[in-house]
Amino acid sequence: MIDFTLLKTAQTRLANATREQKDSALKAVCGAIDGQRVSILAANEKDVEKARSRGMKESLVDRLSLNHARIDGVIQGVESIIRLDDPIGKTIAGWRTPNGLFIERITVPLGVIAIIYESRPNVTVDAFALAYKAGCAALLRGSSAALESNQALTTAIKEGLSVGGGEVQALALADSGDRGEVDEIISARGFIDAAIPRGRRELIQRVVRNARVPVIETGEGNCHIFVDASADIEKAVSIVENAKLQKPGACNAVETLLVHKDAAAKLLPVLAKRLGGRCELRCDDFSRAALGDISPKILVKPAEESDWEAEFLDNILAVKTVTNLDEAIAHVNRYGTRHSEAILTNDLRNAEEFFDKVDAACVYTNASTRFTDGGEFGFGAELGISTQKFHARGPMGLDVLTTIKYRIVGNGQVRSR
Amino acid sequence: MIDFTLLKTAQTRLANATREQKDSALKAVCGAIDGQRVSILAANEKDVEKARSRGMKESLVDRLSLNHARIDGVIQGVESIIRLDDPIGKTIAGWRTPNGLFIERITVPLGVIAIIYESRPNVTVDAFALAYKAGCAALLRGSSAALESNQALTTAIKEGLSVGGGEVQALALADSGDRGEVDEIISARGFIDAAIPRGRRELIQRVVRNARVPVIETGEGNCHIFVDASADIEKAVSIVENAKLQKPGACNAVETLLVHKDAAAKLLPVLAKRLGGRCELRCDDFSRAALGDISPKILVKPAEESDWEAEFLDNILAVKTVTNLDEAIAHVNRYGTRHSEAILTNDLRNAEEFFDKVDAACVYTNASTRFTDGGEFGFGAELGISTQKFHARGPMGLDVLTTIKYRIVGNGQVRSR
């Protein structure tokens, strides 16, 4: 059983903590994590052994694994959050009404946040620290695969909060391991002010479909790059290579390349050579023809309808040739997930039309979609990428964990009509 | 069957309409409503007759009724929305990243909005006009009692849109009268970007509980006024009178008066005299005693637990004496609905503590809670009062119908890590 009331009470106290109080508690958390490396790594080792014994893919085992360098990274993440401005208590607007009332819009914490996530244990610390900085309590529900690691990290965090004079109860780990626990969390109306699922599509969709509390949908990215007729081919090749191969498993990696028919013959052979043996291409007929004689090192298959819908998260790129901008925009709006979309062009009107008509959180001109990231945007830290329009959209920084409160000060005003 | 695709397609076109295009369409709508007064009033007369024949309370019949003056008011409402700035296409932030990317946060329409409301037909026009100004399509689901009126108003609006070169399909009236229609609307994930229920508690709670699309909870207001020991008694009496009696059926009317024990003997007898026979008081023992000998014209009953929880929406005021500020704040946070709360005091520290610790959309010092209203706040028009923290809080103006889109412009940037 999760004690929601304990979280809410702690959050209510934390809501009015000063920046100094929150930052010194977070500094103490850094110290405690540093001091408990041995127990944290030991706990993580148990998770890793169990995962291997259960045949977890090595790529996932790697996500699960901690070492001294990664713990350094976790601590540096908290330190970067400490350096961020306090998002709470800001007057974002203020005005006087004709009858002399003074009205201010002031930022306050959103409340109790639930983060439901998968294997990476560093999310445990990141999510807690972001929430704490914003005066929010955090209820964390990690994967059972990371249970020992998350428990050790939570123990360290709570010791740090206690040492630093913070709100120890502003963090809770939902660690029963019981699957029903997620449903309990996303049904807790009045206690959970927002639930943020982070991880595989199945997890996110399950939370979105069953939640009774506000949810922020994250992460699914079927991203496109449209190479227009006027694009700089050399830059286009580098951007597509980067967007596809620099981190193929990321939600902001490109999945489908759309090429203007007048650019296909210039772009595709050079691109194929650049991608070498590192990427499979799934091409429509026109694109396949435009590839010409390609080095045998690159695998090319005919594209199927399912390829336009796929978020490969792999070294696979779907390629389609389009006859004009409208066709590119229509394809993006039909198959895209409203995440990150790019046009590579030197035509200003086309760039503007692409921005105006493409419905996505982030629309790029002449840059890689890989920049859709809180860190790259300069937010210092991120809670994920919102692919919805409600409350939050795009990379989510601290401000997503805030709401507003109106302060109205008068001297006896009453309403006449 | 509601044609959600038609709405979404129209909204996509409307999203990039200029302010001039939207305003001239709305001007034509004013003209069409003015020109169709006869058919609108005839339709409304049918609704009113049916309502009376079914024994509807006269207070509700009055809400349902239209006349020339009310149609003038409806038209003036649209004209005031025409005068509002366009909320779309604003760059609300812009910065350059170290690698030279230029990032802008730009406002765009939220999308397709569903408004589910009760008897007042003027909401049909208000809600449509606000949505249209924000580039949103509106799906309106009024009560069956207002069906003829809403159909006549919708006909006029669509004629106006057609005359004014607007998006005729950006408005749809869900008028099957079938109760299941509401469930169809609030389950339409991917088509409805936000649903806003307006009306009785039962309606709002039913929508909130069953929705599969984002919902903005509105209106429920169990509002408090705390009269501190240092309050100006004469101003306090006027503020409480105004907050209770100027419009008792409004969600921002006060329901419970909290009085500091040191103010009770000064305040309550004067207040009782001022309220005269117009209001019933439900008092705890201390307050009842402090009232002293009161004019027989005022009805006084002992307060019960249920009175602290009640949103009376009537000429009834619950009265409780508290020993200090903490007790007042605890009562407000326990029984309040996070809508509008007021402290009347001359003690600056108490005013600040009340603001900091009370969890509500609007927190007042020395003014009537009745000012929680989009018009009074200067928003020109309102979609209701949000009592939730997610996406919108407090009086909702046009900005609630917007979301953001990031425009990122580079010159070939790729991500290195």
Side-chain angles (χ1 to χ4, degrees), chain A residues 95 208-209 212 242 355 358 361 363 365-366 370 376 389 391 393 403-406 408 410 412 415, chain B residues 189 209 212 242 355 358 361 363 365-366 370 377 389 391 393 403-406 408 410 412 415 417:
Chain A
W95 63 95
V208 167
R209 275 200 225 84
R212 283 265 154 276
N242 179 260
F355 175 79
V358 163
V363 180
T365 302
N366 296 331
R370 288 276 299 123
E376 296 294 320
K389 294 177 174 181
H391 184 76
R393 197 178 199 198
T403 182
I404 59 128
K405 189 170 170 181
Y406 284 100
I408 307 100
R415 186 168 171 183
Chain B
R189 285 190 58 82
R209 274 198 225 87
R212 283 266 155 273
N242 179 259
F355 175 78
V358 163
V363 180
T365 301
N366 297 329
R370 288 275 299 123
F377 271 42
K389 295 177 174 180
H391 185 75
R393 196 177 201 199
T403 183
I404 59 129
K405 189 169 168 181
Y406 284 101
I408 306 100
R415 184 167 172 183
R417 47 170 177 70

Side-chain angles (χ1 to χ4, degrees), chain A residues 188 212 237 309:
Chain A
R212 283 265 154 276
V237 168
E309 295 161 354

Side-chain angles (χ1 to χ4, degrees), chain B residues 248-320:
Chain B
C251 60
N252 54 19
V254 66
E255 305 293 6
T256 295
L257 172 67
L258 300 168
V259 189
H260 190 286
K261 62 177 177 8
D262 301 341
K266 288 173 289 177
L267 175 80
L268 293 176
V270 190
L271 178 67
K273 185 168 280 122
R274 177 76 66 89
L275 299 179
R278 297 176 294 160
C279 184
E280 172 185 328
L281 301 182
R282 302 208 180 152
C283 300
D284 68 339
D285 297 346
F286 192 103
S287 305
R288 177 65 191 86
L291 275 172
D293 294 334
I294 49 160
S295 85
K297 292 215 309 321
I298 185 158
L299 181 60
V300 180
K301 290 184 181 170
E304 294 166 3
E305 174 69 13
S306 60
D307 293 318
W308 310 133
E309 295 160 354
E311 184 183 14
F312 299 115
L313 298 174
D314 198 353
N315 295 37
I316 301 170
L317 180 67
V319 184
K320 182 181 181 25

